[in-house]
Amino acid sequence: MADLTAFRDDVRQWLQDNCPESQRQPVVREEQVWAGRRREFPSEDAKLWFERMRDKGWTVPDWPRELGGGGLDEAHCKVLKDEMNRLGCRTPLYDLGIWMLGPAVLEFGTEEQKQEHIPKIARGEIRWCQGYSEPGAGSDLASLQTRAEDKGDHFLVNGSKIWTTNADKADWIFCLVRTDPDARKQEGISFLLIDMDDPGVTTRPIDLISGDSEFCQTFFDNVKVPKKNLLGELNKGWSVAKALLKHERKLMSEMGGAPGPNFTTVQAAQEYVGVDAQGKLRDAALRERLVRHEMTFRAIGLTHFRSFEERLAGTPDPNVPLIMKYVGTEETKRRDELQMALLGFRGLGWEGPDFNSDETLTNRAWLFSKALSIAGGTSEVQLNIIAKRALNLPQA
């Protein structure tokens, strides 16, 4: 405990000395720093903050120090996260490599793969995207048809992936491909790492109702992939995918969606609905929804903290991430529905001088929230998994 106290003091002082004032403000999407060969910084302060955190290994504080991480254990990572939140420090680097692929490479990768990919992710040099879903294989992911034929020293990949987030901006993609068409669905799948600059890889952006276009369809036409880019065992990619999905679901349960308004739900209620002489929200129905939401979010936060304490004690419950992904994303959708109701017609603003930024961000966050209960496994799939794995209910 004394070690943690001293570490907290050191972290607090270091952040105070090294995090520029401009990087202590809530981040908007346009000012997020994403990894990649085409990495751009919205300001000199953002670049400075990224470089200082990178040099400390704190872009990936829990990864091995010799691979570019900070070498911190879970308790020390939590202290760093707490202190960054206390000061309002922005996340210095965004990338699926940090949140999803990196932990999978550390668990399943060869030493050569770790040396090749982990330091580049830690330094923000490569941007990754995910190639799981296909036009005919979304919730039933094991039905995927993208083929990787064994050609001796390489695989020849043909097929397409859909809903590949920011594939048009990514440098590499991690993919599930079918390497044995005669095996049972989950047993003939392998996990490949593919350079987006390889001949035969193309992307096509997909327009969304939120006005963004962050999803793409990615096509593979006779793409040669070296055998060294196979992660895990041949035809055992489903095990890698399940491990990686745990990280994605944990992320989805905690992230809460797209950048939203700066006000809290309570503040929005007070400003747009108003209170009576007794300090109560004027609309009783909205008041009931607000109280229910605040209680649920408080319970979710406490459950996350309990799960963290159990992991520290060596008694983690493996079912908690399964349940929290469903609970967290569904409640985020209800929160965004509630905020739209609180704003009334002011929540209809899309752009232009008649609406302020909080009002337009509320609208866009509400639209984006629909994707939260789809990405990483739909809520319907998640309920099936909870029924089978967490509750051991009989199958039909």
Side-chain angles (χ1 to χ4, degrees):
M1 185 62 74
D3 171 57
L4 281 180
T5 301
F7 179 71
R8 184 181 297 277
D9 291 341
D10 290 344
V11 168
R12 184 172 296 181
Q13 187 61 54
W14 189 88
L15 292 175
Q16 188 67 44
D17 294 341
N18 289 279
C19 184
E21 287 291 339
S22 66
Q23 301 305 296
R24 305 181 191 183
Q25 310 297 324
V27 68
V28 296
R29 177 173 298 181
E30 293 75 16
E31 295 182 2
Q32 293 174 341
V33 176
W34 285 85
R37 295 167 180 151
R38 292 165 284 176
R39 185 179 58 215
E40 295 180 351
F41 294 96
S43 66
E44 284 300 314
D45 278 354
K47 183 173 185 287
L48 183 63
W49 174 229
F50 158 74
E51 290 174 342
R52 286 173 172 172
M53 289 291 279
R54 176 202 61 194
D55 293 345
K56 292 282 285 185
W58 286 356
T59 54
V60 282
D62 58 337
W63 291 8
R65 188 181 297 276
E66 62 273 19
L67 294 175
L72 303 181
D73 62 22
E74 188 165 3
H76 287 79
C77 280
K78 184 174 186 305
V79 169
L80 173 59
K81 184 177 181 181
D82 288 346
E83 290 303 314
M84 288 180 66
N85 288 337
R86 189 187 66 80
L87 200 60
C89 302
R90 292 180 175 179
T91 299
L93 180 66
Y94 291 77
D95 184 31
L96 290 188
I98 293 175
W99 306 320
M100 299 172 65
L101 179 69
V105 173
L106 288 171
E107 182 176 355
F108 295 96
T110 63
E111 187 59 32
E112 180 185 4
Q113 289 171 332
K114 292 176 186 176
Q115 294 292 338
E116 169 67 20
H117 296 294
I118 295 298
K120 292 177 181 176
I121 296 173
R123 296 194 297 263
E125 296 173 356
I126 296 295
R127 183 169 182 169
W128 286 87
C129 63
Q130 181 193 53
Y132 273 18
S133 297
E134 298 181 3
S139 295
D140 184 16
L141 186 58
S143 295
L144 63 90
Q145 295 299 316
T146 294
R147 291 282 302 276
E149 298 177 70
D150 190 335
K151 295 294 185 181
D153 63 343
H154 67 273
F155 294 104
L156 191 66
V157 180
N158 281 284
S160 72
K161 297 291 180 180
I162 200 166
W163 310 123
T164 45
T165 306
N166 291 315
D168 55 337
K169 301 177 180 65
D171 305 303
W172 280 68
I173 184 170
F174 49 93
C175 271
L176 287 176
V177 295
R178 186 158 298 284
T179 42
D180 184 352
D182 299 321
R184 291 178 55 192
K185 288 200 307 186
Q186 287 90 346
E187 296 175 359
I189 293 173
S190 298
F191 196 104
L192 285 186
L193 311 178
I194 302 175
D195 191 327
M196 296 293 282
D197 283 343
D198 282 345
V201 181
T202 56
T203 61
R204 184 172 65 199
I206 300 172
D207 293 332
L208 304 179
I209 60 173
S210 62
D212 295 326
S213 182
E214 66 176 5
F215 294 117
C216 295
Q217 185 165 3
T218 302
F219 302 90
F220 303 93
D221 297 308
N222 293 317
V223 179
K224 293 182 179 179
V225 180
K227 287 285 186 67
K228 68 176 184 178
N229 290 356
L230 172 69
L231 185 65
E233 297 180 47
L234 183 68
N235 296 326
K236 301 295 183 184
W238 194 250
S239 297
V240 181
K242 286 194 296 183
L244 191 144
L245 270 175
K246 286 191 299 185
H247 297 292
E248 182 180 14
R249 286 164 180 162
K250 182 175 182 293
L251 172 68
M252 297 300 295
S253 71
E254 294 177 351
M255 68 183 291
N262 288 316
F263 52 57
T264 66
T265 307
V266 171
Q267 289 170 335
Q270 292 170 332
E271 179 177 348
Y272 288 92
V273 179
V275 297
D276 61 21
Q278 298 175 310
K280 296 179 180 178
L281 203 64
R282 285 202 175 93
D283 188 308
L286 288 175
R287 185 168 67 232
E288 181 180 344
R289 289 175 62 183
L290 179 61
V291 170
R292 178 195 170 284
H293 162 72
E294 290 295 315
M295 291 175 63
T296 303
F297 252 45
R298 175 69 171 165
I300 290 172
L302 290 172
T303 304
H304 277 303
F305 184 75
R306 177 173 64 83
S307 178
F308 166 75
E309 294 285 338
E310 288 174 346
R311 291 199 301 274
L312 282 187
T315 58
D317 184 342
N319 295 319
V320 170
L322 296 176
I323 297 170
M324 295 309 293
K325 193 274 179 181
Y326 170 77
V327 173
T329 54
E330 288 295 327
E331 189 56 32
T332 297
K333 285 167 58 179
R334 281 192 284 271
R335 178 201 62 189
D336 291 347
E337 293 275 359
L338 174 58
Q339 289 189 345
M340 287 291 287
L342 293 171
L343 265 61
F345 79 90
R346 301 299 306 173
L348 299 177
W350 186 253
E351 59 186 5
D354 294 333
F355 299 92
N356 64 44
S357 61
D358 281 338
E359 292 165 348
T360 57
L361 283 172
T362 298
N363 187 339
R364 291 169 187 258
W366 168 68
L367 289 167
F368 185 86
S369 70
K370 310 302 180 186
L372 293 177
S373 56
I374 299 175
T378 66
S379 287
E380 290 75 14
V381 168
Q382 207 64 22
L383 286 173
N384 280 335
I385 293 174
I386 293 168
K388 287 191 288 187
R389 297 185 191 170
L391 302 176
N392 293 315
L393 294 178
Q395 299 184 48

